[in-house]
Structures are given as C-alpha cells and as structure tokens.
Amino acid sequence: MDLKDNLQHGMFIELRQRLQSGVLILRGDVAGCSAGIKVSSGTSSLQVHTARGVRRVELPPGVSVVEEPHRPAPAAAGGELHVRLRLKVDRHTETRRSGIQRLQAHKSYIFHCQACGVELLQRVFQRVLPLPNGNWNALVDDWCCHPDPFANRKLLPRPEDCLTGDTYMLVAWDKDSDQTLTRETNSSHTAVGNSHDSEKPSHRNQLVSCKKCNSLLGEALSEDAVKLYITEVLVRMSYEDKVTAFVLPRSQFLERTLAARLVELSSVQSTFRFSVQTPSGKAFILLWLLNTDTLVASFPEEPVGSNISASPSAGHDDEHQSCRAVGAVKVLYLPCAPSTHQEILESWERDIGVHPLTLPLATCQEVLDLLRSSTSRLPASLRSMNSYQVALIRA
C-alpha cells in the first residue's frame, strides 16, 4: 500500500457548485490556533494558511471562492475545525461521459480488454439502440391485460447492431470474436465468493473471457450475441491514441465509469437509488446518489507525534503544497450483508423506484472496496449518515 494511503487527511475541502457553498475541514493538530486560519482566493485557486504552512487548491475554470473580510470563527466538531466557504460559479464542471454514452452509429470503435489491453473487437455499428429500462420485465404484468408477450424471449442485436443496457453492451458474435474471446461455463469464474449468490438459482448463460488474460468480460446470450460489461472493456474511437486510453489504473477506471453511469442514469431515469447486483439478481450494495456537483480536494498530513516517516516525494516537510480540486459524486451506501439492516434491505427490494445495476460478482466486490476506501479517507464527521456509509466517487 502506498504511504499516502496510510496518512490521515489533515485538510479536506468539499465544494458544492449548485449551492455555491462549501466546507473546509481541518484536523485539530493541523489547524493549530483557529485564529491563525486564513482562507484567501487567488486566480482559479483557493489558499489556506495554517500553522503548518500554505495549502493551495487549484479550482476548475469558472469556479472561485468569495473572500469574506469578517469570516466567522471555525466551528469545532469532534476534534475537527469546520470553516464554511462561499463560492462564485460562472461555469459548472461536467462529468466525463461513459463508454456507453460515447457510442454512435456509423463510427469506428475498438473494444479492448481493460485488464490486459488486448484488442478484442473492431466494429462500425449501423445502429446503436438503448435497451428498455432495467425494470421493464417486472413492469409488464402491471401494464398488460394478457400474458406477457416477452416471456422467455431475449432482445438480441443484429450483426451490425449495438444494444446498450445500463451497465453493458450487446454486440454480435462473429468469426473474428473466436480469435480474442472464449466462451465457457460459469463454474470457474463464480467459484470464489459464490456464497453471496447461494439463495439464487444457477445462472445458465455461458461466460465470456479474454483469450489472452482470462479476465471475465461478460456473457454469451446466444450463439450469435455477447454481453460485454462496461467495467471490463474499454471502448475507444479507432483514431484515438491507444497509449492515452490506457493511462488509468484499474481502480480509477472503475471509479470514473461508475460515477459517469450514476450521473447519466439519474438524469435519464430520474432515479437516485440503485441496487448494485450480481448477474443472478442478488443485491450486493445499496447506493443512494446524493449529489453530482461536488468538487473535492484533500491533503494527507502526518499526525503530530506520529512515527510515520514521510518520503521526500510526499512533500510533507514543505510549507507550500498544492493539489487540484476534482469532480465527484457523493453517495450513501449499504453493503447487503446477511442479517444486517434487514428492514432497510427489504424496503429497498419492495420499492420499484430502486434501479438495478448488474455487474460481475468480482466487480461488485471491487466497487464495495472502492467505496470503503473512500469512506476511510473522509474526515470522521463525514463518514456516516444514519445507517448508511458516505463515499465520494471521483468522476
């Protein structure tokens, strides 16, 4: 684990663009005397002066902090000092689009395995069509006065189609797919951690893996169609630089992909509660999207008296440090562990307004680890809300 992951965040800044407000949170030993704290605004930046030196946060274009000559004294909260900030926002930052949103007809795309980078498919789609809402099958009985006409039928793509779901793409399987993809029964990939799905019937679709690294990519829905999860493949335009497309580590790629889809689905579906579930339909994480306009910045600071030895590159001995404020979506989450928060879990299961997000079992665990890691880095006063944990997913 990197050293910076072990250091507590001595300074944390959360800014809300729509509310044009924010909060600066300082750990007590970092703040020192509250009277000595000064917040000033520079050109596209925010500067915080404390006993330990100056910390500079670069802000996105169009966002600035309004200096207040008679700023109220910081409020103490559990050993932390909270300073309220006022923003001026001339232009809101935009969340990056997911791979699904970038797909267009008559454009050339290359699909890569996100794990090893090998090229999987190259396609020019004649049609890019969205699939019905994830709950559509459950709603048919409420809307039809006759037996479900779609029972036991799948919506499959034609040879030059791409059908997009909430977390996946359906594309045709052609002869070139045999060179890069493999189909197999699901026992080998679901053996680990399958106890989470023990209450659900066996999932019958064949699993699709990368032939080079054996990473799970999706499912074969038929002999001629494959489902590829957006968390497992990277899609780029054929003219884009391959090196640029693969600069993100796995955790950052997953974080950005999840953030982008939450923003897109909440906008299109007008829903803010999601159930991250496995392909068998078993809920794994409950996610409640709070806001999508957050900017965050933080500085790891060595606690006073700590035995942690910071490396020179960490910059903890410098009086002047800087970082960039980045966009994030703020969520509440609850792991669906057996025998815990049963009333909440049952309430969400009954609520038709909860939107399902299906991901491979291993990826569900990765998402949970990502959320828990985010929570652990937040100031203590921000880590929970009622029965839920709080996380910031960087966009």
Side-chain angles (χ1 to χ4, degrees), residues 29-260:
D29 63 308
V30 174
C33 176
S34 61
I37 298 173
K38 179 185 176 183
V39 179
S40 60
S41 180
T43 304
S44 299
S45 69
L46 163 68
Q47 295 182 353
V48 182
H49 304 255
T50 70
R52 288 198 176 189
V54 180
R55 304 294 181 259
R56 181 176 180 272
V57 178
E58 297 178 27
L59 301 175
V63 179
S64 60
V65 173
V66 178
E67 292 193 43
E68 297 178 356
H70 303 291
R71 184 178 300 279
E80 301 169 350
L81 293 177
H82 292 211
V83 181
R84 295 294 170 183
L85 305 173
R86 195 153 59 90
L87 302 182
K88 180 182 179 183
V89 181
D90 298 320
R91 186 174 67 194
H92 292 267
T93 58
E94 295 183 359
T95 306
R96 294 177 180 86
R97 292 186 301 167
S98 69
I100 286 178
Q101 286 295 102
R102 297 180 62 202
L103 290 170
Q104 299 177 40
H106 310 296
K107 303 281 187 180
S108 179
Y109 295 96
I110 299 177
F111 290 65
H112 293 268
C113 171
Q114 200 279 322
C116 69
V118 70
E119 183 177 321
L120 302 171
L121 306 169
Q122 184 166 1
R123 299 288 172 87
V124 177
F125 298 115
Q126 298 303 310
R127 300 192 305 172
V128 177
L129 303 172
L131 288 164
N133 180 291
N135 281 325
W136 74 275
N137 238 338
L139 294 171
V140 169
D141 287 339
D142 295 331
W143 287 93
C144 291
C145 57
H146 48 76
D148 182 359
F150 304 104
N152 302 317
R153 296 179 64 184
K154 296 178 180 179
L155 298 177
L156 299 177
R158 295 175 182 175
E160 295 182 326
D161 286 352
C162 178
L163 307 183
T164 59
D166 294 332
T167 56
Y168 56 85
M169 298 155 287
L170 303 186
V171 298
W173 184 289
D174 59 17
K175 62 178 192 255
D176 293 331
S177 304
D178 293 323
Q179 308 303 314
T180 56
L181 302 174
T182 59
R183 288 185 277 205
E184 57 186 319
T185 56
N186 61 3
S187 57
S188 61
H189 278 287
T190 58
V192 179
N194 199 45
S195 59
H196 200 284
D197 283 346
S198 59
E199 297 179 13
K200 292 287 183 177
S202 176
H203 202 55
R204 297 297 182 186
N205 288 336
Q206 286 185 310
L207 299 184
V208 173
S209 307
C210 172
K211 184 166 282 190
K212 180 179 178 182
C213 69
N214 201 38
S215 294
L216 177 63
L217 304 175
E219 304 170 12
L221 301 186
S222 71
E223 289 296 320
D224 304 315
V226 59
K227 172 195 287 186
L228 299 174
Y229 288 103
I230 59 168
T231 54
E232 316 309 317
V233 297
L234 189 147
V235 183
R236 67 179 177 92
M237 302 285 286
S238 58
Y239 60 79
E240 289 180 323
D241 182 24
K242 179 179 178 181
V243 175
T244 304
F246 285 94
V247 294
L248 287 181
R250 167 66 180 172
S251 60
Q252 290 184 30
F253 171 81
L254 181 60
E255 191 170 18
R256 287 187 178 183
T257 301
L258 179 61

Side-chain angles (χ1 to χ4, degrees), residues 276-294:
V276 178
Q277 62 184 34
T278 64
S280 66
K282 181 69 174 178
F284 201 94
I285 312 167
L286 304 182
L287 272 182
W288 196 329
L289 181 62
L290 292 185
N291 59 66
T292 62
D293 64 334
T294 301

